[in-house]
Amino acid sequence: MNESDSNPMPSIDDVARVATLSRLALDEDGLEAARRDLSAILGHVAAIQALDVEHVEPMPRPQDVVNRLAEDEPGPLLDREVLLRMAPRTEGPFIAVPKVLGEGGA
Amino acid sequence: MNHDSNQSTDREHPDDLVARIRSVRAGEATTVDRLEGMLSRIDTVDPALNAFHEVLGEDARRHAESIDARLAAGDDPGPLAGAIVAVKDNLCTTEGRTTCSSKMLEHYRSPFEATAVERLRNAGATIVGKTNLDEFAMGSSSENCAWGPVRNPHGVDRVPGGSSGGSAAAVAADCADVALGSDTGGSIRQPAAFCGCVGFKPTYGRISRYGLVAFGSSLDQIGPIGRSVRDASLLYEVMAGVDPHDATTSELPVESPLSEGTIDLRGLRVGIPREHVTDENHPGVTERFAETLDTLRSAGVTIVDVDLPLTHHGISTYYVIAPAEASSNLSRYDGIRYGHRAEALPGEGLEELYARTRSEGFGPEVRRRIMLGTYVLSAGYYDAYYTRALKVRRLIKQEFDGVFSQCDVLLGPTTPTPAFRLGADLDPVSMYLNDVYTVNANIAGIPAISIPGGFVEDEGDALPVGLHLQAPAFAESLLLRTASAVEATHART
């Protein structure tokens, strides 16, 4: 993606890259539909590009509050059996996932 | 602003929650009887409305019996003893499932309960069921639902609004006394307006978000939907306040708007944003609003025209910030620890499993917003979209601060139109514009409420519309007492 490109019409390659980053599997039709939707929404959103915000501080939360920290003390945890029962695939006391490491990688 | 504490009791309506549950406390009715009445009503009307995902019949009966037993023993189960409450299905409950109307969480049972729900239960409320919503609260029509859309009790070919459409429909159809919703850009207030209810979004940080399935963490707020401002105030008082499970909850003391009495409208300065009174509004919305202003002027209110020019940038700002936060929050649904998991294919790796799981589990609108959020957070676009939207957010907040030096509260229509037809098949941007008047309260974090603003004619149907009041951050007491006074100028049906 081009650093200076604020054109609100993402290419199919842009959309494919965003799908990969989003961990979504889209076929060709899905990518084209997503490109159309994103273009329409980004076209609307582009209005904020015209505002002068040069000396404005970003506001990530609606109040300028400082986060409250908890005491660094162990507290009660959810039971391991309860959490394991929620997992779609388990093997004994473990959550099962597809093989992550390649041949000889272990 | 003068206090007139006598007015609050005079204005009580027999359908107010307080009036309904007084009979239980007085021993004239039981919680079990009230619950059975609601369950029977749900049986009758919900097949047409689809407001409920799950009715918690047995759990609710057990709870109602325990409330009645405690009352019989002379114990006080709390201010909500006898109340029957419906809960939006994106709030975690240990009874029943918490699906967020998503195939991703079809079988999900939460191991913990949302603080807001726990506080209601501890105050004596009985939870009757979990209500339908737009998937992960993303929508304005309650049509983006994994198990069918919700229909509006005022016309079943109309949407109830969204995303808390099931909660609003449940209250409007008298399947619950009150209900909980969540509001990220108008998701409590717009459905309340479309269904003729009161819907209240408190200040960001007033009610703990612990156990609310996260959508836009800097925008989300839980709030009540009820029949009156008094109902909403009562639930608010029970739920609000600091919670160690949510570091963003405010430590400011929670006032008690009900006990402070209603506000005398004489001398109150009500600001009308010029941008909310436009030719683009439905003619019926314009007429009802003009009548409201006449009534308020007659009651001695000082009407102040104010400008909120950045209102027009609210939707754009929101559709950068909310999807950005959603794309991050929803990255947790990977099919590994809980929720839907795609069937593994031979030789498939972890990345492919994530992508297939998420594509199967999420519906189209959720996928669209994840893509949009990922785009605006990606390298090369982050500053142009996300950082810029956060700067516009500060400008919007400053604009509100400015108008609140000219007036006490803001008033406008909740939505530009009454409920539209189911299957109107609006394009995404048109659908998003439903929230044009509500979304800025989330961006600025201020409290806002929609109260019934009369009915309008639309293609032969009589449909309710809402009046939208907004107040400065943490001024819930001012907002609710004003809303109660404005509500009293409208005849209750």
Side-chain angles (χ1 to χ4, degrees):
Chain A
M1 290 181 225
N2 185 339
E3 281 288 326
S4 61
D5 184 10
S6 59
N7 178 356
M9 295 292 285
S11 68
I12 280 288
D13 286 347
D14 284 341
V15 176
R17 184 174 139 74
V18 168
T20 304
L21 291 171
S22 302
R23 303 292 186 272
L24 288 169
L26 299 185
D27 60 18
E28 263 181 47
D29 289 348
L31 287 174
E32 181 51 37
R35 195 186 68 81
R36 267 199 317 275
D37 287 344
L38 289 188
S39 297
I41 300 164
L42 292 169
H44 186 85
V45 163
I48 62 168
Q49 305 295 344
L51 294 170
D52 179 9
V53 294
E54 198 181 334
H55 301 293
V56 182
E57 274 296 301
M59 192 168 200
R61 286 168 298 281
Q63 285 117 24
D64 288 312
V65 287
V66 180
N67 206 0
R68 194 168 51 242
L69 298 177
E71 290 300 316
D72 190 12
E73 290 168 359
L77 293 171
L78 290 168
D79 184 72
R80 186 165 81 158
E81 290 304 315
V82 170
L83 294 174
L84 274 172
R85 272 201 300 276
M86 288 165 45
R89 302 278 184 281
T90 52
E91 284 178 22
F94 303 108
I95 291 173
V97 296
K99 193 170 173 181
V100 176
L101 300 172
E103 291 301 320
Chain B
M1 286 177 277
N2 303 316
H3 293 190
D4 187 347
S5 54
N6 293 328
Q7 291 182 15
S8 57
T9 44
D10 292 345
R11 285 172 184 171
E12 188 177 289
H13 190 276
D15 252 353
D16 281 353
L17 175 62
V18 174
R20 286 178 169 210
I21 60 180
R22 187 179 295 128
S23 60
V24 174
R25 202 167 275 278
E28 296 155 7
T30 66
T31 310
V32 170
D33 288 344
R34 298 207 66 245
L35 173 67
E36 292 299 339
M38 294 291 185
L39 290 173
S40 156
R41 179 117 181 104
I42 292 170
D43 271 351
T44 309
V45 302
D46 205 47
L49 298 178
N50 201 28
F52 284 86
H53 270 160
E54 189 170 7
V55 177
L56 301 170
E58 286 315 306
D59 290 322
R61 282 188 181 99
R62 214 167 30 248
H63 192 265
E65 282 164 8
S66 79
I67 295 295
D68 289 337
R70 287 177 65 186
L71 283 168
D75 190 10
D76 182 4
L80 295 177
I84 311 298
V85 184
V87 173
K88 186 176 181 180
D89 202 13
N90 64 346
L91 284 156
C92 289
T93 50
T94 49
E95 291 165 358
R97 293 173 296 149
T98 299
T99 70
C100 293
S101 205
S102 180
K103 293 261 160 72
M104 186 62 88
L105 293 176
E106 183 171 2
H107 305 291
Y108 177 66
R109 285 181 176 275
S110 173
F112 60 92
E113 189 140 86
T115 298
V117 177
E118 188 175 79
R119 288 185 180 179
L120 292 186
R121 279 198 215 271
N122 290 344
T126 298
I127 310 299
V128 66
K130 303 294 289 287
T131 56
N132 200 348
L133 66 151
D134 286 299
E135 185 177 1
F136 285 102
M138 296 180 191
S140 305
S141 67
S142 297
E143 293 174 296
N144 305 327
C145 309
W147 300 283
V150 186
R151 288 165 185 273
N152 191 321
H154 292 276
V156 290
D157 63 340
R158 301 277 177 163
V159 302
S163 66
S164 309
S167 285
V171 172
D174 210 4
C175 296
D177 293 318
V178 280
L180 289 193
S182 64
D183 191 314
T184 308
S187 276
I188 287 174
R189 292 161 286 155
Q190 185 251 21
F194 279 10
C195 292
C197 301
V198 169
F200 174 41
K201 181 202 89 72
T203 306
Y204 180 81
R206 270 299 198 195
I207 295 181
S208 169
R209 289 178 293 112
Y210 180 70
L212 169 65
V213 177
F215 161 15
S217 300
S218 80
L219 303 156
D220 295 338
Q221 188 60 196
I222 296 168
I225 294 175
R227 283 178 183 74
S228 70
V229 176
R230 290 175 60 83
D231 294 6
S233 301
L234 180 55
L235 261 72
Y236 162 72
E237 275 188 57
V238 168
M239 292 188 289
V242 71
D243 175 17
H245 288 307
D246 176 358
T248 63
T249 47
S250 170
E251 287 173 327
L252 288 174
V254 179
E255 325 93 311
S256 179
L258 286 175
S259 59
E260 291 174 34
T262 47
I263 276 178
D264 188 340
L265 289 170
R266 279 168 296 183
L268 191 77
R269 294 173 306 160
V270 173
I272 313 298
R274 289 180 223 273
E275 294 78 7
H276 294 200
V277 190
T278 76
D279 292 343
E280 288 166 30
N281 289 342
H282 185 284
V285 169
T286 302
E287 282 170 32
R288 289 296 88 76
F289 191 67
E291 289 163 11
T292 297
L293 289 189
D294 285 346
T295 306
L296 293 181
R297 276 195 197 93
S298 304
V301 166
T302 304
I303 301 289
V304 185
D305 288 320
V306 298
D307 292 304
L308 283 173
L310 288 172
T311 287
H312 293 307
H313 294 288
I315 290 287
S316 299
T317 305
Y318 178 83
Y319 277 97
V320 174
I321 296 174
E325 294 184 1
S327 70
S328 172
N329 275 325
L330 272 62
S331 65
R332 72 190 65 176
Y333 303 105
D334 56 10
I336 304 301
R337 290 153 300 171
Y338 59 96
H340 173 74
R341 174 162 170 174
E343 285 300 323
L345 298 176
E348 189 174 64
L350 196 55
E351 291 289 336
E352 290 91 343
L353 181 68
Y354 290 155
R356 277 198 316 107
T357 292
R358 290 164 60 80
S359 298
E360 289 175 9
F362 293 135
E365 182 61 27
V366 174
R367 291 200 299 266
R368 185 179 292 134
R369 296 204 198 186
I370 290 173
M371 294 275 289
L372 179 59
T374 305
Y375 182 87
V376 300
L377 290 176
S378 62
Y381 295 92
Y382 186 95
D383 283 339
Y385 286 104
Y386 184 61
T387 306
R388 177 167 280 267
L390 295 183
K391 291 180 172 189
V392 178
R393 175 184 220 165
R394 185 175 297 279
L395 294 178
I396 291 172
K397 172 88 167 121
Q398 288 170 349
E399 193 168 272
F400 274 115
D401 291 346
V403 299
F404 284 129
S405 67
Q406 303 164 43
C407 61
D408 299 308
V409 297
L410 289 168
L411 176 70
T414 309
T415 57
T417 68
F420 45 93
R421 287 189 194 283
L422 219 76
D425 201 23
L426 301 180
D427 63 81
V429 173
S430 302
M431 186 63 92
Y432 298 167
L433 287 171
N434 260 288
D435 295 330
V436 65
Y437 299 144
T438 51
V439 74
N440 289 296
N442 301 79
I443 291 170
I446 60 173
I449 187 167
S450 179
I451 63 173
F455 281 75
V456 305
E457 283 291 317
D458 185 70
E459 297 176 8
D461 295 331
L463 299 167
V465 291
L467 291 170
H468 189 227
L469 291 110
Q470 304 178 85
F474 301 105
E476 274 84 0
S477 187
L478 168 69
L479 178 70
L480 291 166
R481 291 162 66 219
T482 304
S484 182
V486 175
E487 176 185 55
T489 66
H490 278 260
R492 291 270 295 277
T493 50

